[in-house]
Amino acid sequence: LMIRRPPRSTHCISSAASDVYKRQLVFSGWGMVDFQLTEEQMMIRDMAREFSEEEVLPHAEEWDREGTYPRDAITKAHELGLLNVTIPEKYGGAGMSTVDEMVICEELSRGDPGFGTASYHTMLASFPILTGGTEEQKAEYLGRVTEGKLAAYCVTEPDAGSDVQALKTEAVKAGDEYVINGSKAWISGAGYADWFFVLAYTDKSAGYGGLSGFIVDADTPGVELGKKEVNMGQRCSDTRGVNFTDVRVPASNLIGGVENGGWMNAMKAFDHSRPAVAAAAVGNARGAMEEAWAYAKERKTFGKPIIMHQSISFILADMATKIEAARLLTLSAASALDSGERATLKAAHAKRFAADMCMEVTTDAVQVLGGYGYSEEYPVARRMRGSKIYQIFEGTSQIQRMIISRELEREL
């Protein structure tokens, strides 16, 4: 047990400042700290690492160049038990911890950032059901996931991303059904999804409090997929729009069976998914650092490997420190979730720092490789392009800063 002691000269601290200090002591989350992976977790890590080495790294360049969705590799990862691992056993899942999931996410994205996203979008769509669904919904749709079906998370719209109140998709009750109309944009894995999580207004006058979550089967009449987007990076993740025109879904597909609870449930789901994005960013950054390190040991200037030049060795050292810090923030958020704590602040810390860190580290990796780094023949260019989206999806880095400041104001 680690305890942060107050300053010795407490007599000079005002009463108000002392109260703030006490709240900081509790809020800091100091307690038993164990950074050692268990033997089982190391086995999981090694399995995921081996999978990435054999099934992801050899194909990553082609997937990115051709924009090929890695369905076969995702199926193999599922068969090995590397995907959707936190779904409870009673729904057919492995019932593993969030920390276990972070270990896997890091290794898969170390193989390729696009594969990391393509293999995770199903879990993202599953979280709102896990956190707010009925038992019937969990048994049916999480059961499909554990059998190998894919899903996609439909929230963002052409004119609404961070400003969720600007959503236009609506769901109108009609007897024992809801009729959904609207368009979603930038949906990862949409072209391969068996079902969608859809956020829509059931009471527009109530602002975000009038949003509800729905499960929509992909083969429902009125569901139409848009064109596949050509993105800067992570091109294998099959990003596209999804249009809903008079789509009728049974009232039993209203998540939780209660209207107007969609927004808060989606936010709870983000507490689970944002650490996974952070873990993915750590994995991609680690891959870039490893590639830069290997190059720096081989490339020679002025008669010696460039890693022997302080200007390069310091860049590599800073990469390692940033990656380590981001990993610890990620594991802190994951551990909080496993302990049943509210993890909004820790998830925002992890996602914001890891996303920005990954952009910095991959950019530095390109710098270490120089002209070769700028060439698509070397993987650091793909990793750099694949990094930018971490600062954008599932809440931009700016939104994470807003959440952090709001949570600090609430607690302090």
Side-chain angles (χ1 to χ4, degrees), residues 100-121:
D100 296 335
E101 185 178 50
M102 299 305 101
V103 170
I104 294 170
C105 285
E106 177 180 334
E107 294 300 330
L108 296 185
S109 291
R110 180 255 181 183
D112 178 62
F115 181 81
T117 295
S119 62
Y120 194 74
H121 60 69

Side-chain angles (χ1 to χ4, degrees), residues 204-338:
K204 188 74 173 178
S205 65
Y208 63 83
L211 288 163
S212 298
F214 293 90
I215 304 166
V216 180
D217 289 313
D219 60 359
T220 306
V223 176
E224 181 182 3
L225 299 178
K227 69 177 179 66
K228 183 181 182 301
E229 302 290 345
V230 180
N231 294 329
M232 174 193 294
Q234 300 200 15
R235 293 170 179 162
C236 70
S237 63
D238 193 75
T239 303
R240 63 179 74 220
V242 185
N243 299 313
F244 301 89
T245 305
D246 293 331
V247 174
R248 291 181 172 271
V249 299
S252 60
N253 279 27
L254 171 67
I255 292 183
V258 180
E259 289 187 355
N260 306 333
W263 172 244
M264 293 306 298
N265 187 38
M267 293 303 99
K268 289 179 183 177
F270 275 139
D271 287 354
H272 291 265
S273 63
R274 283 170 176 159
V277 174
V282 170
N284 188 36
R286 194 182 106 220
M289 181 187 71
E290 291 171 355
E291 288 152 9
W293 207 287
Y295 178 86
K297 290 193 294 183
E298 295 294 327
R299 171 69 166 166
K300 293 183 178 180
T301 62
F302 306 105
K304 59 184 177 181
I306 63 173
I307 199 170
M308 302 302 293
H309 296 294
Q310 189 179 84
S311 58
I312 300 299
S313 66
F314 277 20
I315 292 175
L316 295 168
D318 285 346
M319 286 182 183
T321 300
K322 292 173 184 177
I323 290 169
E324 184 73 6
R327 182 185 292 114
L328 293 177
L329 281 172
T330 301
L331 293 177
S332 176
S335 180
L337 289 166
D338 287 337

